Amino acid sequence: MTTIKTPIIPTKSTFFGAQKTLDYQAICVFSALGFFLDDDTYYKEQKVLKPGHIYNFSDNDMLVKKEPYFKWHYSPQERPLNQVIEEFSELFETIVKQQVGDKKVILPLSGGLDSRTQAVALSRISADVHSYSYKFQGGLNESAYGEKIAKACGFPFQDFTVRSGYLWDCIDQLARINGCYSEFTHPRQMAFVNQYNQMGNVFSLGHWGDVLFDDMGVKDDLPFEQQVDLLLKKVVKKGGLELANILWKHWDLLGDFEDYLYERIKTLHANIDISNSANARIRAFKSLYWAPRWTSVNLSVFESESKVTLPYYDNRMCEFISRVPERFLAKRQIQIGYIKERFPEVARIPWQAQRPFNLYTYHRNHKPWNLPYRIYNKFSNMLNSQSNIQRNWELQFLGEENEHSLKQYLFSQTSMEHILSKSEMSDFYRKFKEENAVTYSHPVSMLLTLSLFFKQQKV
């Protein structure tokens, strides 16, 4: 008998079952969302172990029993905000210290709050840290925020650039690393993955802090049906429904795809036993189904080079969140309070989402206080029209050389016969090129991902 206890938020997928029959319904959902839902995989017989469960398998790997040991809940314990911040401070620094030990830490830094919070914690435990940020080729210099944080903390800092067309040099490697369970334009770290082993031997990553330590932007008494509608809007990507609907018809599946997807989301959300807070229930849904099947998938890229640690994924952090009053989670108050208390100099560095304001002044990010910056920013963008790359697909799909490589995978692979006809493929590509690149970048990227899957599986 083998027993497996899965984390509340797993860092990787653990598969069981055979790869026999393609699950076309699951692949349609994957095409719409960009991640597989619940325990789905590409195959009907193969599943992924659910978060927060204990599984028992027989000696011949047959599932004998499974049961949850943790269920998301909202059980707020009333106490002052400053006490909550102090509890978080002690817990967060304890988790970070236990995770990294005496190893050399690789810390990605951005202008946001999650990695900034980690930087403060790592500086307080005197960890050996090598930090880095990245920017897009032809984009804004967003590395400047990370560099300022690194300087304040005394960390060595490296500035990387995500270059145009890097994807085509590593796409087969990436397909093997993430198993084609995520579209290929999201793991931007592949652009400089080979440089990680020179920087350290353990990553400290800030994934999911922005979900746990903020509200979901709704009133706590939002009715259940409206919660489901909101979740659908959040998880479905632009152009995703159009692609999924065409695949559903192409594979001659019964019923209507959108009805199928709605009922699945509704059922999964109904199974979350939280009725006293819509924000907590939506956060639980995202932590159960979005984090493990989307956010965690590309952690495999980091893990291909060094050990991965994630303080916000820790089981103790999930338990902590469930006991914090929702009004204190809203607006990132806990992380902001922690940084201001533990490292005021870092708190004074501009917050990218609220630029040019910092953690002391971000409340002023409205008229008339932000008017001078908005005027400056508008004219700066007009003068520097080349600095407009904001998304990785722009660097990998646009331009003559990129288009040649993309079309090779879409139209010259025999594996694409399992997906769509050439005319249907051509229509999506035409819409991407001629109608709306933002909307149709997702369908094109998903078709690229599926082409690599079928190529590798030789289905």
Side-chain angles (χ1 to χ4, degrees), residues 12 15 47 92-93 167 182 195 205 218 245 257 261:
K12 63 176 69 175
F15 297 86
K47 298 296 178 184
F92 191 72
E93 290 172 6
L167 180 61
S182 168
Q195 302 186 54
L205 304 175
V218 300
N245 278 319
F257 170 72
L261 178 61

Side-chain angles (χ1 to χ4, degrees), residues 168-445:
W168 311 112
D169 297 330
C170 64
I171 191 168
D172 291 291
Q173 177 190 6
L174 178 54
R176 289 189 295 271
I177 290 174
N178 71 15
C180 299
Y181 276 88
S182 168
E183 59 178 285
F184 298 134
T185 59
H186 288 298
R188 297 172 288 271
Q189 59 271 22
M190 282 299 293
F192 35 82
V193 66
N194 295 328
Q195 302 186 54
Y196 284 140
N197 58 12
Q198 304 169 16
M199 299 171 64
N201 45 33
V202 60
F203 285 98
S204 184
L205 304 175
H207 297 62
W208 218 241
D210 59 333
V211 175
L212 296 183
F213 288 91
D214 201 355
D215 60 9
M216 299 295 102
V218 300
K219 293 182 178 180
D220 260 339
D221 60 355
L222 184 72
F224 174 79
E225 296 288 346
Q226 292 184 35
Q227 293 179 38
V228 176
D229 291 339
L230 177 68
L231 282 168
L232 278 166
K233 290 179 181 178
K234 285 182 175 291
V235 299
V236 174
K237 301 293 191 297
K238 290 180 179 179
L241 279 182
E242 185 175 340
L243 174 61
N245 278 319
I246 289 179
L247 289 173
W248 190 272
K249 293 174 183 177
H250 180 81
W251 289 327
D252 199 25
L253 301 176
L254 295 177
D256 178 82
F257 170 72
E258 294 185 40
D259 291 341
Y260 171 81
L261 178 61
Y262 180 85
E263 288 302 319
R264 287 206 64 185
I265 298 290
K266 182 180 178 179
T267 300
L268 293 173
H269 198 50
N271 289 337
I272 299 172
D273 189 17
I274 299 176
S275 59
N276 53 344
S277 170
N279 282 287
R281 193 173 197 169
I282 293 170
R283 183 185 299 111
F285 181 96
K286 295 180 74 173
S287 298
L288 278 165
Y289 305 113
W290 198 328
R293 304 309 309 273
W294 189 80
T295 306
S296 296
V297 170
N298 286 314
L299 295 179
S300 57
V301 177
F302 294 103
E303 202 164 35
S304 69
E305 296 299 316
S306 293
K307 180 183 176 182
V308 169
T309 64
L310 296 99
Y312 295 109
Y313 270 43
D314 191 277
N315 280 12
R316 291 165 290 180
M317 194 61 70
C318 298
E319 291 276 12
F320 172 75
I321 286 296
S322 299
R323 300 190 305 272
V324 175
E326 195 63 44
R327 67 182 185 278
F328 294 151
L329 292 174
K331 312 302 181 186
R332 316 296 293 273
Q333 295 174 81
I334 297 173
Q335 290 170 302
I336 291 171
Y338 169 75
I339 297 167
K340 288 165 69 173
E341 181 180 310
R342 293 295 213 239
F343 210 143
E345 184 181 351
V346 171
R348 293 189 182 95
I349 295 170
W351 180 2
Q352 186 175 352
Q354 303 287 344
R355 58 185 183 273
F357 301 99
N358 59 39
L359 304 193
Y360 291 98
T361 61
Y362 69 94
H363 305 92
R364 297 179 180 175
N365 193 9
H366 57 80
K367 294 179 181 179
W369 302 104
N370 64 0
L371 197 55
Y373 176 76
R374 291 177 63 183
I375 294 172
Y376 164 79
N377 196 48
K378 181 177 180 179
F379 280 100
S380 178
N381 290 338
M382 289 172 61
L383 292 172
N384 192 14
S385 59
Q386 296 301 311
S387 296
N388 57 2
I389 299 295
Q390 302 177 44
R391 293 152 296 219
N392 195 24
W393 62 260
E394 296 177 89
L395 288 174
Q396 312 314 320
F397 291 171
L398 303 182
E400 187 175 339
E401 292 186 12
N402 286 331
E403 290 174 11
H404 174 76
S405 297
L406 177 58
K407 290 167 76 172
Q408 281 285 108
Y409 279 96
L410 293 182
F411 301 114
S412 300
Q413 303 282 347
T414 57
S415 59
M416 295 305 292
E417 296 170 3
H418 298 280
I419 306 173
L420 289 177
S421 66
K422 281 195 174 182
S423 62
E424 290 169 318
M425 295 278 296
S426 298
D427 192 47
F428 272 108
Y429 188 75
R430 179 192 61 77
K431 289 177 179 178
F432 170 71
K433 289 293 296 177
E434 299 176 8
E435 293 186 11
N436 191 321
V438 174
T439 295
Y440 287 98
S441 62
H442 171 77
V444 167
S445 191

